Structure formats: C-alpha cells, structure tokens
Amino acid sequence: MNAISKLLSQKSNIFYIVFDKDFKTMEFSPTIEEIIHDEIEKGLDVRESMWELVGLEEKILKLIEGDDAIHFPMILKGATYYDLDVETFFSAKGVKLFIAYLIKKNKESLSYVATIKEINKKSLIYETEDKKNQEEQYKLINKRVINFNVDMNGMITSANDAFAYFFDIRRDKILGEHFSNFFKARDSNFNDKETIIFNAVNKNDEIVSFHANIIPIGRDNVIYENIIICQDISSLKEIEKELVFAAGNDSLTGVANRSQLLDKMDEAIIKSKNLNASFSACFIDLENFKLVNSDYGRHAGDMLLKHVAKILSNFVRKNDMVARISGNEFAILFDSISDTQGIGVMLERIKELAIKNPLIYTKDDVIKFTFNISLVSYPKDANNAEKLIKVADKMMCLKKRDS
Amino acid sequence: MIAYKVVMVGDFGVGKTSLVRRFVDNSFSEDYLSTIGVSISKKSLGNSTVMLWDIEGDTEFKPIFKQYLLGAKGFIIVADVTRKNSLESIQKHIELCHSIVSGAPICVALNKSDAPHAISEETIKSLKSLSPSIVEVLKTSAKNGDAVLEIFYMLDKNVSQTIKNRS
C-alpha cells in the first residue's frame, strides 16, 4: 500500500499522510510540503498540520467500522486547490491505519474556479445594482407618466412631478385646483368610470392626448378619492392618421385611391348641383405599361408609376385631385374647370408632361412613356361618380381600339 | 487547549471571507473574490483554537455542499443587510446547519452594516426567534470592524462552554 502511494505521489499530483487511531502521524509523501506548509513530523498529531481533520475525529474513527470514506472537494490552501479523501487500510503488521489523500486539482479545475468566480462577481453586481436600477427606472417612468389624485368633486389633492413638469407649473399651484383646468375631457365627471380620454396643452403649447386609468380609493365601501394615471397616446393619434391616410390613398404612389376619388366626385356633384355648375375629370392610361414591366422588371414598373404620380401631382393646382384608380390608370379631378377651351389646353399640357419627363431609371435606362387620355364632364356625360368613371373607361377603350 | 471547527454559512457575496479576514488578519479588501470550495483558517482564542471553514456561498445554481458542515461545533450564518434575499435565506441556512449538526450554536452576522440599510431592532428580534440555537444576532461590518471580534468571541464562549460541559 505504502509503495503504491509513494509511487502515486511521485508520478502525479496525489499526496498522502498516514496516521493511526490516536491521530499520530505515521508517514507522509516526501513532497507534501507543496501543499502542507505547517510543520509535519512523524509522531506529531496529524491535526497540527491537517486542520481539515479537526472536528471529524468521530467520523474518522467510524471508518474502522466500515463507514464510507470521507471526501472533501476543493479545499483551498495558499493558491492550491486540492480534494481530500480519508480512508482506512491494513498495515504490514495487520494494524488498521488511516490514510488521507490530498489530490491537487489540475488546470481544468482551476479554469472552472475562475469561471465560477467571474459568474459570482457578475451576479453580485447584478443583485446589488438591481435595487438601485429599479429606483432609477421608477424615477424615469414617473417623469413620463402623469398621475394625480382628485376628490369626489374633481379637486386635485396630490400630483406627481411629471404633472408639474408637463404643465411647467409649481406643485403648490396644482393642489386644490379642479382637474378640468388642466385636462379637457368630454365628460368632466368621471366617477364610476374606469378609463377616460383627456386632452391637455403642454408647456410648448402642443395638444397631447392621454388615456387615463381611474382607480377609486376608499374605505368601508365608500369611495372618497380617485387616482388618475395618464398615459400619453399621441403616438396612437399618429397611427390613426396613418390609417386614415392608408384608407384613402394608394400605398405605392401616395396619391388618392379610387375610393377617395369617388368620395371627392360625390362632393363635387353636390357642390355643382347647389351652384348649378359643372366640373370635369380626365382619366389617364399609361400606355404600354406591360412592356415596361416585362422589359425592365416590376421594380422599374413601380418606379414609373411613382414617377407619373409625382409629375401629375406637381402639375395640378392645389384644389385638383390626382388619383390612381387601377394598375396603370390615373385620374385628375379638376376643381371648377368646365369650359371646353380651358380643359383642352390642360389635356395638351398633360400629354406633353409624359414626353418631357421620361423616367431616368438608371444611367443607361431611360424609360419613355405616353398617356392615353379621356375626358368626362358632369352633368353632360353622367349624373353620378360611378357612371362618370364607366363612361371614361368606355371612351378609353374606343380610343385604344381606333389606334 | 481545545480545538474545534466553525463553519461560515450564507449566500454568496455576503462577506463571509471578509469577516474571516478581519477576524484572523485584521485586514479588509473592497475587491470581491468569490470563494470556491472551502478555505480553512486557524485562529487561537485564549484557551481554544478555532478552525474557520469559509465555504463557498449559496447561489441559485449551486447550493452549499453539505459535507463541509460535518463535525462543526458552531456556525456563523452571514447575511448582507443591503440584500433582502440574503436576509430571507437565513432560515434556510439554519435548517441546513441543523440537518448536519443538530442543535449546534449559531451566531447570525448581519454584515455590511456600514452601508445604508433598514434593519430595525424588531427585525433582529424576529431573527433571534427563528431558532433556540441562535446565540446572538449582530450587525457587523468587516469593513470597519464593527462587532466582528464580538461575534466570534460570543460563539467561542458558547462552544467552549458546551465542550467543557460534555467532557
């Protein structure tokens, strides 16, 4: 046994100390001072050099009775990590002795130690900073979210910093005021409501919309106050505007779509009826558009449609409307032009627009295009918007057939 | 002369190593170097020698290795007054200590008391009532040394007396 242990300690990172049941040191590895720095000597109490064994006496003596070996992993001494195992064995004289193995940890274990240390360090920073961060975040949120308390008559009883900041007013000027002096709502009484929409003018004279949650507070089923928490919903208003725009406009070119054109034509019809007047609209077919798509690709086709929408929009007057009513068809609703001469001049100029403004798709690809135009007038050609478009379509088809 | 083992128990980063360093070498470092495994220190206190097992703290993903607690005559459970989680873990640590050494005396060190905190006398009282084995609950600071010697001597007195009574 001793020979094997000696061999082990010479060949590897395993060291040993042998001791008897009185804890007297019997033998140890010749190189054990690599780990044990205290005085170690045969005959001395093993616990003088192996502090790890203090307190374990009972457990160690039980090893003689067949208890499992004692194992302590990752003991740090100086800069060295080792595992400690205590076992029993029979000496050559047949006496049961104890052997403590000290197994020095390899480089991989040390790299594991470094990793765990780093993780623990970060975890500690995270845990200790977390509370601080929460307070900071609360402050930031509080700056953005206005909240205030009102009594059952709507008088403000408390307000947060965000309230004062939003209106650029001292807090003592807020307390005791009726909330409607600051926030406008359709209904100035919000008892029994859970939410309400407010509008308010901020310190920069901008109108801001708020969605407010109303939280009643009370005691013994009697509500005596409400907490109002206001969240800025200006961005929702922007989204609403975008949705309204998308409903009435062509997504590719941005000009009005067929639906908006029909609405506008209906309005023009009513106006004309009331004034006993007339109006005209021209319908523009982008000729040979399919060829552009097949020769240059769909992207070029899209670019051409955008280009046409742009030059038509730049050409018309402020109150005229340019619309894209289908794939390659546009329309212009002229406001208050009905005389034949004026319209004739206008149509010629529109045709010239196409000739003068080819699409410069790339340095080498200049896409030329022409318009096929038909003109309809109310009430001469039809008495409602849909019929006017149908008449225009018919005219367009006839022109195409003739050409 | 008696020699016995005391184990420092607590969550990671509460200052177990710093308390041992302050007690054994009267030194302190602000740097946090997490203990992995166990580091054993020896300190003579009059008629006794204490082997202080400074073990790896309890973390979410690595619980305390119970074997380290074997043969201890007393425990110092350490918590950080600025970290609520570590205070809430005290009960769990008491149960762990007693699962290995039933009824062993325990001192609770509410460490980092030099930092702003909200530990009231009532909190200390309620901590004392967690177990009859709790000898003392003290607010300590390894940084400025407050109550460090006091807590180790308090435990020593109790453990030494128990050992003497048994012998």
Side-chain angles (χ1 to χ4, degrees):
Chain A
M1 175 69 201
N2 284 354
I4 295 169
S5 296
K6 274 180 190 170
L7 190 66
L8 276 173
S9 67
Q10 282 163 12
K11 293 281 181 191
S12 67
N13 286 331
I14 301 175
F15 307 87
Y16 69 91
I17 299 179
V18 177
F19 57 96
D20 66 8
K21 63 180 174 49
D22 296 320
F23 293 89
K24 279 205 176 90
T25 306
M26 310 284 289
E27 202 176 333
F28 48 84
S29 315
T31 53
I32 199 153
E33 65 275 9
E34 270 189 42
I35 294 187
I36 305 289
H37 306 299
D38 288 84
E39 191 184 358
I40 184 162
E41 204 176 295
K42 282 183 187 175
L44 276 185
D45 192 316
V46 69
R47 290 166 291 185
E48 291 292 323
S49 49
M50 293 279 298
W51 309 343
E52 300 88 331
L53 303 180
V54 171
L56 294 171
E57 294 82 355
E58 216 173 298
K59 181 98 181 147
I60 290 169
L61 292 175
K62 276 196 171 179
L63 291 175
I64 297 175
E65 295 164 21
D67 268 18
D68 290 339
I70 298 168
H71 172 72
F72 288 115
M74 299 298 283
I75 298 175
L76 176 67
K77 198 156 269 183
T80 309
Y81 275 100
Y82 60 92
D83 290 350
L84 171 68
D85 286 326
V86 184
E87 296 174 17
T88 55
F89 72 100
F90 283 104
S91 71
K93 292 177 184 171
V95 179
K96 215 161 195 184
L97 297 175
F98 301 94
I99 182 161
Y101 290 105
L102 294 87
I103 305 145
K104 201 171 159 187
K105 302 303 282 186
N106 56 22
K107 277 183 187 170
E108 286 74 23
S109 300
L110 297 179
S111 123
Y112 159 81
V113 167
T115 306
I116 298 291
K117 279 187 177 185
E118 199 51 39
I119 291 171
N120 284 354
K121 197 172 185 175
K122 282 181 182 163
S123 301
L124 184 63
I125 292 168
Y126 178 77
E127 198 177 317
T128 48
E129 290 295 306
D130 191 41
K131 196 176 156 198
K132 218 188 289 172
N133 288 345
Q134 277 184 17
E135 280 168 10
E136 289 295 319
Q137 283 170 18
Y138 176 76
K139 279 181 195 166
L140 287 173
I141 292 166
N142 208 26
K143 265 187 190 172
R144 299 289 290 270
V145 179
I146 294 175
N147 68 68
F148 57 98
N149 290 24
V150 290
D151 64 17
M152 300 315 283
N153 297 318
M155 309 305 276
I156 299 171
T157 56
S158 74
N160 71 345
D161 287 344
F163 192 120
Y165 178 77
F166 181 86
F167 292 103
D168 193 22
I169 187 171
R170 274 179 21 212
R171 280 172 79 168
D172 59 318
K173 300 277 180 195
I174 300 167
L175 303 183
E177 291 290 323
H178 196 270
F179 80 88
S180 59
N181 289 335
F182 302 96
F183 293 97
K184 307 295 174 200
R186 265 188 238 152
D187 193 347
S188 61
N189 177 8
F190 46 62
N191 297 337
D192 301 327
K193 285 193 178 74
E194 287 183 358
T195 61
I196 197 166
I197 301 293
F198 283 139
N199 283 314
V201 179
N202 69 9
K203 59 184 177 182
N204 301 321
D205 281 335
E206 295 155 343
I207 297 172
V208 178
S209 298
F210 291 97
H211 173 265
N213 281 90
I214 302 159
I215 304 168
I217 47 174
R219 199 174 291 140
D220 302 328
N221 293 327
V222 179
I223 297 163
Y224 57 85
E225 219 169 58
N226 286 300
I227 303 171
I228 317 294
I229 302 166
C230 303
Q231 195 179 0
D232 184 345
I233 52 163
S234 305
S235 55
L236 294 182
K237 290 266 176 189
E238 289 301 315
I239 293 168
E240 195 183 339
K241 272 187 207 165
E242 285 297 316
L243 289 174
V244 169
F245 180 82
N249 291 73
D250 174 44
S251 60
L252 175 69
T253 61
V255 297
N257 59 15
R258 186 186 181 96
S259 164
Q260 196 185 160
L261 177 73
L262 284 170
D263 289 347
K264 189 86 176 170
M265 285 171 84
D266 285 340
E267 278 176 30
I269 288 169
I270 293 167
K271 191 177 157 188
S272 300
K273 274 181 184 169
N274 291 340
L275 299 172
N276 200 20
S278 61
F279 69 86
S280 299
C282 77
F283 291 80
I284 304 162
D285 182 73
L286 187 54
E287 291 182 311
N288 302 320
F289 179 66
K290 279 183 183 168
L291 285 178
V292 175
N293 271 338
S294 59
D295 290 353
Y296 298 95
R298 282 196 170 275
H299 180 257
D302 286 349
M303 291 299 106
L304 180 58
L305 290 170
K306 286 175 91 161
H307 177 67
V308 169
K310 193 177 171 187
I311 58 172
L312 291 178
S313 298
N314 289 342
F315 168 74
V316 297
R317 299 163 307 164
K318 195 183 165 189
N319 292 333
D320 297 337
M321 174 186 270
V322 176
R324 182 179 169 217
I325 55 172
S326 68
N328 60 330
E329 281 181 18
F330 290 84
I332 299 172
L333 176 63
F334 296 109
D335 183 62
S336 315
I337 300 181
S338 56
D339 67 289
T340 321
Q341 202 183 348
I343 290 288
V345 172
M346 196 68 91
L347 295 188
E348 282 309 310
R349 287 172 64 188
I350 292 170
K351 279 182 183 172
E352 279 173 21
L353 280 178
I355 298 158
K356 286 179 181 171
N357 297 282
L359 171 68
I360 301 163
Y361 183 53
T362 67
K363 200 173 71 177
D364 302 318
D365 295 319
V366 177
I367 302 170
K368 291 179 181 172
F369 59 93
T370 53
F371 292 146
N372 184 3
I373 301 175
S374 62
L375 180 77
V376 291
S377 297
Y378 171 88
K380 183 170 76 72
D381 297 311
N383 59 0
N384 70 45
E386 285 287 359
K387 278 185 185 170
L388 281 168
I389 292 179
K390 274 185 189 167
V391 171
D393 278 345
K394 216 172 186 178
M395 285 180 179
M396 199 77 82
C397 289
L398 287 172
K399 276 191 181 180
K400 277 183 186 171
R401 197 185 63 188
D402 293 346
S403 63
Chain B
M1 174 74 91
I2 52 167
Y4 65 90
K5 169 178 175 178
V6 165
V7 185
M8 310 289 292
V9 179
D11 285 1
F12 80 104
V14 292
K16 298 182 290 297
T17 305
S18 295
L19 283 172
V20 171
R21 292 272 68 82
R22 174 61 75 193
F23 178 55
V24 176
D25 310 327
N26 196 23
S27 63
F28 177 78
S29 166
E30 291 276 4
D31 296 336
Y32 171 57
L33 275 175
S34 168
T35 303
I36 305 298
V38 57
S39 171
I40 305 165
S41 307
K42 185 160 82 170
K43 175 84 175 174
S44 293
L45 299 170
N47 290 325
S48 52
T49 304
V50 192
M51 305 300 162
L52 284 166
W53 284 54
D54 174 21
I55 65 171
E56 185 171 340
D58 188 28
T59 65
E60 210 174 324
F61 57 92
K62 200 174 174 205
I64 287 171
F65 185 63
K66 285 184 176 185
Q67 194 84 350
Y68 288 144
L69 276 61
L70 278 176
K73 291 286 182 286
F75 298 96
I76 292 186
I77 294 177
V78 187
D80 176 345
V81 289
T82 67
R83 280 162 62 203
K84 202 176 163 210
N85 290 351
S86 75
L87 295 161
E88 286 168 355
S89 298
I90 292 174
Q91 174 74 59
K92 182 180 78 177
H93 296 317
I94 293 171
E95 284 163 17
L96 174 74
C97 295
H98 284 167
S99 73
I100 304 294
V101 191
S102 176
I106 294 170
C107 280
V108 178
L110 304 176
N111 199 33
K112 305 192 188 179
S113 64
D114 52 280
H117 63 274
I119 302 288
S120 63
E121 282 307 311
E122 272 136 46
T123 310
I124 292 176
K125 261 187 198 171
S126 69
L127 287 171
K128 269 184 191 166
S129 67
L130 286 176
S131 164
S133 300
I134 293 179
V135 175
E136 191 60 277
V137 179
L138 288 176
K139 284 201 261 184
T140 60
S141 167
K143 191 174 181 176
N144 61 25
D146 278 357
V148 176
L149 290 179
E150 204 178 332
I151 202 160
F152 281 101
Y153 277 104
M154 191 77 79
L155 188 65
D156 175 58
K157 193 177 156 191
N158 200 285
V159 172
S160 301
Q161 195 57 51
T162 311
I163 293 171
K164 272 178 200 164
N165 290 346
R166 277 183 194 163
S167 58

